[in-house]
Amino acid sequence: MSKILFVLTGADHWTLADGTKHPSGFWAEEVVAPYEAFTAAGHEVVVATPGGVVPTVDRGSLAPEVNGGQDGADRVANALASLTALQRPVAVADVDLGEYAAVFYPGGHGPMEDLSADAASGRLLTRALETGLPLGVVCHGPAALLAARREDGTNAFAGYRLTGFTNAEETQAGLAGKAKWLLQDRLVEIGADFREGEPWAPHVVVDRNLVTGQNPASSAPLAAELLKHLG
């Protein structure tokens, strides 16, 4: 059995342009669907967060309307409750990548708050990319890529084809006008080749060992693609 590292936000909010703290954290489906796919394939999941804090779920991601109804919401909530790795995370700074077969970053707005500027996470991402370790990142998780700086100041992901939560989706979700910055804009600014799909539809982009997904609906397809890289 090999181990897969899940790097989650340690933030429980996202600070908006006016200073308001919008309650957030990680998005439930983006943890549950890949966790179930990886463990069903025989892998062990280890969770890491900045400082080793227990991650907070975005309560909005447990609502029936984003889980296909109450039954879906109950299933996701029950799955999270049984995911014991979430309650005993390691610190990102203490991670030895040599122990892992792959790395996965789920989203939620939390990564916009902390992982986007977390140097330890940035070093981890840069090393994973450069050593060819399979790396999956979904939705707002690509905010963490902004911190992946090389010694010369360039971003490790410049020139890579990738996707993430789009400006169109942020606008439709009602938060684009309140944000300090938008993920798609920042990924373009660092030199990434951003590939935008239809809003809310599954969309996965693969470039070398990097597998990215656009939105929550992309988390299960991304996990399936990442498992091919573990073949």
Side-chain angles (χ1 to χ4, degrees), residues 72-145:
D74 291 344
R75 194 191 75 78
V76 167
N78 290 335
L80 274 184
S82 66
L83 210 165
T84 55
L86 287 172
Q87 302 306 314
R88 42 183 173 81
V90 299
V92 172
D94 295 337
V95 168
D96 176 2
L97 271 185
E99 298 179 1
Y100 298 94
V103 178
F104 172 66
Y105 277 68
H109 281 108
M112 302 276 281
E113 185 72 22
D114 62 352
L115 294 178
S116 61
D118 189 282
S121 171
R123 289 191 294 271
L124 186 154
L125 284 164
T126 301
R127 182 158 177 261
L129 194 68
E130 294 178 346
T131 58
L133 196 67
L135 174 61
V137 195
V138 70
C139 200
H140 287 93
L145 310 188

Side-chain angles (χ1 to χ4, degrees), residues 38 43 101-102 132-136 204-212 222-231:
F38 297 144
H43 301 287
L133 196 67
L135 174 61
V204 173
V205 175
V206 181
D207 189 349
R208 288 157 276 186
N209 58 313
L210 176 65
V211 184
T212 52
L222 183 152
E225 186 64 40
L226 202 63
L227 281 170
K228 294 179 186 177
H229 286 248
L230 294 173

Side-chain angles (χ1 to χ4, degrees), residues 165-188:
F165 204 66
T166 64
N167 290 356
E169 287 167 323
E170 204 72 82
T171 299
Q172 291 175 23
L175 288 168
K178 302 175 182 179
K180 290 181 180 179
W181 50 273
L182 298 177
L183 179 59
Q184 180 176 347
D185 291 345
R186 285 289 175 89
L187 291 172
V188 170

Side-chain angles (χ1 to χ4, degrees), residues 58-79:
D58 187 318
R59 304 306 299 181
S61 68
L62 300 177
E65 54 265 34
V66 297
N67 289 291
Q70 189 62 53
D71 287 349
D74 291 344
R75 194 191 75 78
V76 167
N78 290 335

